């Protein structure tokens, strides 16, 4: 199974990104999703080699301008939301 690279993006690199990274890590591991996770601040997204981005909804419009898929998360502690959105993105990659 092909693995996809995802970049968890935050605006400043502070608390919210750590929370999102922990929650996404758990969902990926618990569900054995074929995703390799990295994290960075918004400024590093453009030069990233990620296949797609994961971020809070506030960053989605900015990330969409880069031209790669963006998974926008509304509730960073809702594992169900995170799982559903990651599965939808993986399905989109598979065509």
């Amino acid at each position: 199974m092909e693995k996809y690279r995802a970049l968890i993006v935050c605006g400043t690199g502070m608390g919210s990104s750590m929370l999102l990274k922990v929650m996404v890590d758990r969902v990926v591991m618990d569900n054995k999703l074929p995703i390799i996770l990295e994290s960075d601040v918004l400024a590093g997204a453009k030069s990233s080699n990620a296949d797609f981005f994961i971020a809070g909804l506030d960053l989605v419009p900015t990330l969409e301008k880069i031209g790669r898929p963006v998974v926008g998360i509304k509730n960073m502690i809702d594992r169900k939301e995170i799982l559903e959105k990651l599965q939808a993105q993986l399905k989109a990659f598979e065509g």
Side-chain angles (χ1 to χ4, degrees):
M1 180 182 297
E2 183 174 356
K3 289 208 174 224
Y4 298 95
R5 299 180 83 75
L7 183 68
I8 299 172
V9 181
C10 66
T12 61
M14 298 299 172
S16 63
S17 66
M18 289 306 295
L19 174 62
L20 183 57
K21 183 167 183 358
V22 167
M23 297 307 292
V24 173
D25 270 333
R26 286 183 185 168
V27 169
V28 167
M29 287 181 8
D30 290 350
N31 295 280
K32 297 177 177 48
L33 299 178
I35 300 172
I36 299 166
L37 295 171
E38 297 175 8
S39 60
D40 202 348
V41 294
L42 183 59
K46 192 170 187 176
S47 62
S48 164
N49 64 349
D51 297 306
F52 69 103
F53 302 118
I54 303 168
L57 293 179
D58 57 323
L59 297 179
V60 170
T62 303
L63 289 169
E64 286 177 333
K65 294 174 186 171
I66 296 174
R68 282 178 256 170
V70 181
V71 173
I73 304 296
K74 180 178 181 180
N75 183 346
M76 294 185 185
I77 60 171
D78 184 348
R79 290 186 194 181
K80 184 174 185 251
E81 176 193 359
I82 294 168
L83 176 60
E84 288 172 355
K85 290 184 174 179
L86 291 178
Q87 287 175 326
Q89 182 57 58
L90 291 172
K91 192 171 190 175
F93 279 136
E94 294 167 5

